[in-house]
Amino acid sequence: MKQDHLENLENSLVKEFRACQALLHLMREEQYALANGDVARLLAISEHKDALLDRLALLSKARQAQVAALSGAPGGDAPLDEMTTWDAETLDRLRRLSDGIQVLTSQARELVQANQALAATALKRAAAQQAGLISANQTSLPALFAAILDARDALDAQDSAAVRLAIDDLQKALNRIGGTVEHRPTRAFTAPAITETEVVASQPVSASSRNETNLIEAMASLYRQEKAYRAVLQTGSRLLTGA
């Protein structure tokens, strides 16, 4: 029975060690994605981090239960060094695994703190850019939103004529806004103009249309940036607090 508990404990520690290795690798990937503004990658990494943190929490509980079963200490709080009745070779393996987990966790926490600082700075910048867009174009936005709602209603009604009119109104609203947006050098603020092709897939997009600025795409891009940076901050805080 004792040997079974020892084997289960060692297996849990091995799994926990490998999960910590995977987490550290993700943290390094996250730092690279932050440095390169790779929003899609940041969102994917945050999902993987959440899953890994869930797994680590389960493994930690299993380890504590196994230590408790072996030592009789409530909650599995007894350190491995106090298990003097265990086989010396087994105890040495378990200790090395436990020390390795602590080292990896410490390294991951250091990366989290650095990534948190990068994400917080990027989030403030994206929020400021979004606020600037809204402020600069607030007088034109009502017409834009009205055109969007008209286009939605026309699509729901499957009214091709109404769709064309709504798209025309939408393009006019975007053109009025474009003069303000197009001078911003941020890559996220450049996108094709909206045409009927994009809604009902009927006409090709002209070269001139492709060069026009689309405020909707700019705002959507900034929204995705905010979402990604908030995800980095949320998962990072979870790791730091052990939640």
Side-chain angles (χ1 to χ4, degrees), residues 11 15 62 87 145 170 200 234 242:
N11 287 335
K15 292 176 181 178
D87 174 76
F145 295 151
L170 183 56
V200 294
Q234 182 178 354

Side-chain angles (χ1 to χ4, degrees), residues 5 11 15 35 45 49 75-76 81 96 111 117 128 154 157 171 173-174 204-205 208 212 215 225 227 229 232 238:
H5 283 307
N11 287 335
K15 292 176 181 178
I45 288 172
K49 278 168 59 183
D81 288 339
R96 281 188 279 111
L111 279 174
Q171 191 65 68
L174 289 171
V205 182
S208 60
E212 293 179 7
L215 179 65
Q225 290 178 43
K227 182 180 179 182
Y229 298 137
V232 171
R238 183 182 173 192

Side-chain angles (χ1 to χ4, degrees), residues 18-99:
R18 289 174 178 169
C20 286
Q21 283 182 316
L23 180 62
L24 185 61
H25 177 71
L26 274 182
M27 297 308 305
R28 289 169 177 157
E29 279 196 28
E30 182 180 78
Q31 192 166 81
Y32 182 81
L34 281 166
N36 289 276
D38 191 339
V39 172
R41 185 59 185 152
L42 286 174
L43 289 170
I45 288 172
S46 293
E47 290 183 6
H48 289 310
K49 278 168 59 183
D50 263 334
L52 264 177
L53 290 172
D54 288 341
R55 177 169 171 74
L56 281 167
L58 291 174
L59 289 171
S60 178
K61 288 181 179 179
R63 168 172 48 80
Q64 291 173 7
Q66 287 151 5
V67 171
L70 284 163
S71 66
D77 294 328
L80 293 175
D81 288 339
E82 294 182 7
M83 308 303 177
T84 55
T85 60
W86 293 2
D87 174 76
E89 183 179 348
T90 300
L91 183 60
D92 184 59
R93 288 200 309 272
L94 297 178
R95 187 185 296 112
R96 281 188 279 111
L97 281 169
S98 180
D99 290 344

Side-chain angles (χ1 to χ4, degrees), residues 70-240:
L70 284 163
S71 66
D77 294 328
L80 293 175
D81 288 339
E82 294 182 7
M83 308 303 177
T84 55
T85 60
W86 293 2
D87 174 76
E89 183 179 348
T90 300
L91 183 60
D92 184 59
R93 288 200 309 272
L94 297 178
R95 187 185 296 112
R96 281 188 279 111
L97 281 169
S98 180
D99 290 344
I101 290 169
Q102 291 180 20
V103 170
L104 290 173
T105 300
S106 177
Q107 292 175 347
R109 286 175 178 272
E110 290 177 2
L111 279 174
V112 166
Q113 291 173 344
N115 291 0
Q116 293 279 80
L118 290 173
T121 300
L123 179 60
K124 289 180 181 179
R125 183 171 60 248
Q129 289 173 341
Q130 192 173 62
L133 276 179
I134 294 173
S135 176
N137 299 287
Q138 58 185 348
T139 58
S140 301
L141 288 177
L144 176 62
F145 295 151
I148 292 172
L149 292 176
D150 288 343
R152 182 202 62 185
D153 293 341
L155 284 169
D156 288 342
Q158 297 183 347
D159 187 337
S160 297
V163 167
R164 285 192 291 271
L165 289 174
I167 290 174
D168 184 56
D169 289 341
L170 183 56
Q171 191 65 68
K172 289 176 181 177
L174 289 171
N175 288 340
R176 286 194 295 271
I177 294 171
T180 302
V181 181
E182 65 187 359
H183 298 297
R184 298 176 183 268
T186 305
R187 183 175 48 188
F189 295 163
T190 302
I194 290 183
T195 67
E196 189 171 352
T197 302
E198 295 171 295
V199 183
V200 294
S202 61
Q203 297 179 359
V205 182
S206 67
S208 60
S209 293
R210 282 193 296 267
N211 292 328
E212 293 179 7
T213 304
N214 187 335
L215 179 65
I216 296 176
E217 290 292 339
M219 296 294 288
S221 176
L222 287 171
Y223 171 79
R224 286 189 289 269
Q225 290 178 43
E226 285 195 64
K227 182 180 179 182
Y229 298 137
R230 290 187 189 281
V232 171
L233 293 172
Q234 182 178 354
T235 55
S237 296
R238 183 182 173 192
L239 194 154
L240 291 174

